[in-house]
Every structure is written in structure tokens, then in C-alpha cells.
Amino acid sequence: MFLDNILPSYLGALGSPKCFLKRLQYPELVSFGLLANLSAMRDRNVIVDIDSIWDIGANQGQFAFMANTVWPTVPIYSFEPDPDSFEKLSKNFKKFNILGKPYLSALSDKTDVKKLMRYGDNVNNSFLVRDEENVSTVDVACTTLDLMGDSMPNIRTAYLKLDVQGF
């Protein structure tokens, strides 16, 4: 975390005012620290020459939104198995003209149907069972990274983001 190492958290906005303004404008989609660090990695040539971004465990598209802010010409392929979160993800792709495509699917080691545990806070939905009340389940389709990659355009260098709650 570049900014966190340089500045105390309350001064982070001084180091990256554009990221701070995005956070104020879209608080439900922007993590100031993550957006600032993605921007810093781009500016410092830590992440270069990527031709796609794969967002595994996309939820409502928070990461896709931030990645699109940093790399607006790079297509983003987002995978989200929860139907409710996927609906919001799809709307965010359209609303913000994000290149690429969202997929209503989980990525797994094999093609299958699995039960997704849906918790009160949908950012913590998971295939893993937690000791928590008020859990519902939904059957979701799973596919493999290899199968999805075969159906994509020729991709040389992808940025892969995984947020799969331990799955």
C-alpha cells in the first residue's frame, strides 16, 4: 500500500485528491485506499501492458469501477455467482460504460452447480459455511477459468483479482 506507507490515513487525500473525490462522488463503489493504490501502481509502472482485467468475485462491481477509472481502455471480465449482486453489477457496467462483460457464474476447478451461502451482508456471500444466522442459499453455476479463457478474445497479459471469501 503505497500511500499508507507514506502518509497517515487521515492525510491520504492530500496524496491522491482525484481518488478522494471519486470516493466522495461514489462512496458505495470506491475504497479510497484501493483506488489510490491502483493509481499508484499504474503511475509507477508496477502494472503495465495488461490487455484485460479478470474480476473474480465481483459483487456489485466495486473493483470493476475502480479498475475502469484507472485503466478505462482495458476490458474487464467480472464473475459474480449471486443473482442479486449480479443484477447490480450488470447495471454498473452499463451505467459507467465499462468495457468487457459481467458473467453470472462462479469460477471453480470444475463445471458444476454449487450452493452459495447468502449472508445478510452480500459482500460476504461464500460457498464456505460460516456459523451465522439468517443464511439463505441459492444454486449457482460454476465454470473453469480455462473454459472461460477459451471463449475470450486473444488475451496475453491479464490482471487477475480474486475475492472469493476463501473458496
Side-chain angles (χ1 to χ4, degrees):
M1 300 289 186
F2 296 116
L3 290 176
D4 293 343
N5 292 332
I6 298 170
L7 300 169
S9 59
Y10 62 89
L11 292 177
L14 297 175
S16 187
K18 289 180 184 176
C19 296
F20 180 69
L21 292 175
K22 277 283 188 195
R23 168 69 178 163
L24 291 177
Q25 191 175 12
Y26 302 104
E28 70 285 354
L29 292 172
V30 174
S31 160
F32 170 77
L34 180 56
L35 180 57
N37 281 289
L38 289 172
S39 298
M41 287 188 282
R42 177 206 53 213
D43 295 344
R44 294 176 183 193
N45 294 319
V46 173
I47 298 175
V48 294
D49 297 328
I50 55 173
D51 56 13
S52 64
I53 296 170
W54 291 54
D55 179 11
I56 317 302
N59 194 254
Q60 299 172 23
Q62 299 92 324
F63 182 82
F65 176 81
M66 290 182 280
N68 184 65
T69 298
V70 176
W71 295 283
T73 61
V74 176
I76 300 170
Y77 304 106
S78 292
F79 298 85
E80 174 55 45
D82 178 59
D84 294 340
S85 296
F86 178 79
E87 184 178 334
K88 293 174 184 174
L89 171 67
S90 296
K91 286 179 182 175
N92 283 329
F93 259 72
K94 288 177 186 160
K95 179 178 180 179
F96 298 108
N97 297 311
I98 298 173
L99 295 176
K101 183 178 177 182
Y103 293 90
L104 179 60
S105 182
L107 292 184
S108 182
D109 60 339
K110 60 185 173 193
T111 302
D112 199 0
V113 174
K114 294 187 183 293
K115 286 204 180 301
L116 180 71
M117 306 300 146
R118 298 169 80 181
Y119 299 99
D121 180 1
N122 70 3
V123 298
N124 290 314
N125 292 346
S126 177
F127 291 112
L128 303 176
V129 178
R130 292 194 328 241
D131 187 25
E132 191 172 311
E133 293 182 19
N134 300 322
V135 178
S136 63
T137 63
V138 63
D139 289 337
V140 298
C142 299
T143 189
T144 67
L145 189 60
D146 289 339
L147 285 173
M148 290 309 301
D150 290 344
S151 68
M152 298 287 180
N154 188 15
I155 295 172
R156 294 176 301 103
T157 309
Y159 179 112
L160 180 65
K161 171 262 181 187
L162 297 169
D163 186 1
V164 295
Q165 309 305 331
F167 175 63

